[in-house]
Amino acid sequence: MSMRKVLSILAASAMAVSLLAGCGSTASAPAAAPAAEEKKEEAPAEEAAPAEEAAEEAAEAAGGDLADKKVGVCIYQFSDNFMTLFRNELQSYLVSQGFAEGNINIVDGANDQATQTNQIQNFITEGVDVLIINPVNSSSAATITDMVHDAGIPLVYINREPDADEEARWADNDWDVTYVGCDARQSGTMQGEIIADLGLDAIDFNGNGAIDYIMIKGDPENIDAQYRTEFSIKALEDAGLKVEKLDEQVGMWQQEQGQSLVANSLAAHPETEVVFCNNDAMALGALQAIQAAGRKVGEDIYLVGVDALTEACEDVLAGTMTGTVFNDHISQSHSAADAAINYITGAGNEHYIGCDYVKVTADNAQDILDSLK
Ligand code: GAL
């Protein structure tokens, strides 16, 4: 897909979001995420185009030298379906920008930091020109940064955001290290808004005046899991709704775990009105459990996820999922590749490169699906 098409789709999606949220712009949509706003001031979504242009110009100025450059890419776990979309798009975009396929090496950390640390060490020994890293443990970022920086290799973190102290170190020392990703607070807020927008009467099947929910979390070490859990519920409370947590379980981003956890939760808490899942894979599992329990989404229970996987968007259209949130792997992977190019050519980067989430309901799920074709 061309960048122009992606941008025009994003603009259309942003319009859809602002219509849904009743806001004037996407920047004001995540009202509950002040730090996201601050960060966006540094690197607003609108600046994505100039950054990409800079990368293109820099790549051209390098006179096609990118074909000789080596990129090492570390993914925390290949079996994660969102990260599979991300890495496939990253690979094809890097090739479209002039890298030789044989010089792009993408490795599977198998959800084990020791394995990944070894892989990083191997890339350093091999002398790659740039590293793109999706850390297994965000808390290992300082160690990873030190290894990579000491070796004189620029570093682009993706998807799992290191903490604020670590990010501050890159800026303070003017190191060639950046993070490309979205602010998870925004996705949690959007999940909560999708439910809040239904109104208490539609949700409160047992008439106790509260929203009775269960929460299925991703890897708790991961800031995305922490913020989505917190901000989805905050959005309900901010909308003036009372909430009652019936259960909270860790499904590690995986469908099978989502399925078995929600099956158990529904058996223990048949009064459940909303199932929040930190991602779509777990929501797809939750849907299997909901259906096996003889429940019907939209009729006696609601279900939301994050990512906008194709299957989840189809469920939203069919009414078997209430909504999801588009985690834009296209924009994020392209920004990560552009940042890598900017380091190789010496153009450099900001230390935080952001991206907006998009709320997905039955109103715009088809647009999102079309944009992913
Ligand atoms: C999240 C995504 C999850 C999972 C996770 C891995 O952003 O929503 O599905 O891929 O990243 O870190």
Side-chain angles (χ1 to χ4, degrees):
M1 180 184 304
S2 72
M3 181 45 64
R4 180 169 307 203
K5 188 168 170 213
V6 172
L7 288 174
S8 73
I9 286 160
L10 282 180
S13 308
M15 209 179 285
V17 171
S18 56
L19 287 176
L20 282 169
C23 295
S25 73
T26 36
S28 60
E37 309 251 310
E38 279 160 31
K39 281 179 170 175
K40 270 188 224 106
E41 271 163 34
E42 283 168 34
E46 294 78 45
E47 279 176 21
E52 187 215 0
E53 269 163 36
E56 261 170 32
E57 276 163 28
E60 269 165 35
D65 283 355
L66 290 177
D68 303 330
K69 302 295 179 193
K70 288 187 179 166
V71 193
V73 182
C74 295
I75 300 294
Y76 95 92
Q77 172 154 256
F78 274 12
S79 64
D80 179 299
N81 37 16
F82 172 74
M83 287 313 302
T84 300
L85 294 172
F86 194 123
R87 82 182 139 91
N88 290 341
E89 185 64 30
L90 178 62
Q91 157 102 19
S92 59
Y93 184 74
L94 283 167
V95 170
S96 77
Q97 296 305 295
F99 291 91
E101 217 163 321
N103 286 338
I104 305 164
N105 194 356
I106 308 185
V107 293
D108 181 4
N111 204 23
D112 180 58
Q113 189 56 59
T115 300
Q116 185 178 67
T117 304
N118 261 331
Q119 292 168 333
I120 296 168
Q121 197 54 60
N122 290 341
F123 279 135
I124 290 173
T125 308
E126 190 195 324
V128 294
D129 296 284
V130 64
L131 272 163
I132 299 176
I133 298 182
N134 167 215
V136 172
N137 294 334
S138 315
S139 56
S140 297
T143 315
I144 296 172
T145 304
D146 286 341
M147 276 168 69
V148 176
H149 171 74
D150 287 352
I153 298 171
L155 170 56
V156 179
Y157 281 106
I158 52 169
N159 173 257
R160 294 185 155 188
E161 187 170 2
D163 65 23
D165 285 350
E166 171 59 8
E167 289 186 352
R169 234 161 49 100
W170 315 335
D172 292 348
N173 294 297
D174 200 19
W175 288 344
D176 279 353
V177 183
T178 189
Y179 171 72
V180 174
C182 306
D183 188 315
R185 283 169 282 206
Q186 189 186 39
S187 52
T189 300
M190 288 178 172
Q191 285 189 295
E193 287 174 351
I194 289 170
I195 297 302
D197 285 351
L198 300 168
L200 180 66
D201 288 349
I203 310 166
D204 190 16
F205 298 111
N206 62 12
N208 68 350
I211 296 182
D212 299 294
Y213 73 92
I214 58 182
M215 178 70 69
I216 307 297
K217 297 175 66 172
D219 181 351
E221 208 264 356
N222 194 187
I223 195 82
D224 287 9
Q226 295 162 21
Y227 278 154
R228 288 175 191 167
T229 299
E230 181 185 344
F231 282 77
S232 53
I233 302 310
K234 185 176 183 302
L236 294 179
E237 291 169 338
D238 288 349
L241 296 163
K242 268 179 56 185
V243 292
E244 183 69 42
K245 178 166 77 180
L246 301 175
D247 201 4
E248 184 173 303
Q249 297 290 336
V250 172
M252 297 302 285
W253 305 119
Q254 289 171 20
Q255 178 162 351
E256 305 73 42
Q257 296 201 38
Q259 189 269 328
S260 62
L261 292 170
V262 174
N264 292 340
S265 271
L266 286 181
H269 307 284
E271 70 273 35
T272 300
E273 291 161 344
V274 181
V275 180
F276 283 99
C277 294
N278 285 171
N279 77 344
D280 280 350
M282 296 189 296
L284 292 171
L287 177 57
Q288 294 172 299
I290 286 169
Q291 290 173 334
R295 308 281 298 266
K296 274 205 154 153
V297 173
E299 289 183 23
D300 58 20
I301 197 162
Y302 296 96
L303 171 65
V304 282
V306 175
D307 282 339
L309 299 180
T310 298
E311 206 179 333
C313 288
E314 284 164 356
D315 279 317
V316 172
L317 281 175
T320 40
M321 255 177 80
T322 313
T324 181
V325 177
F326 180 36
N327 191 0
D328 190 341
H329 61 278
I330 297 173
S331 165
Q332 289 174 73
S333 56
H334 293 196
S335 294
D338 290 340
I341 294 170
N342 286 339
Y343 280 139
I344 288 176
T345 60
N349 294 288
E350 298 284 335
H351 297 284
Y352 180 92
I353 300 168
C355 169
D356 275 316
Y357 284 101
V358 180
K359 207 186 275 185
V360 183
T361 64
D363 293 341
N364 65 339
Q366 189 60 55
D367 297 340
I368 297 291
L369 276 176
D370 292 345
S371 78
L372 295 175
K373 274 179 194 153

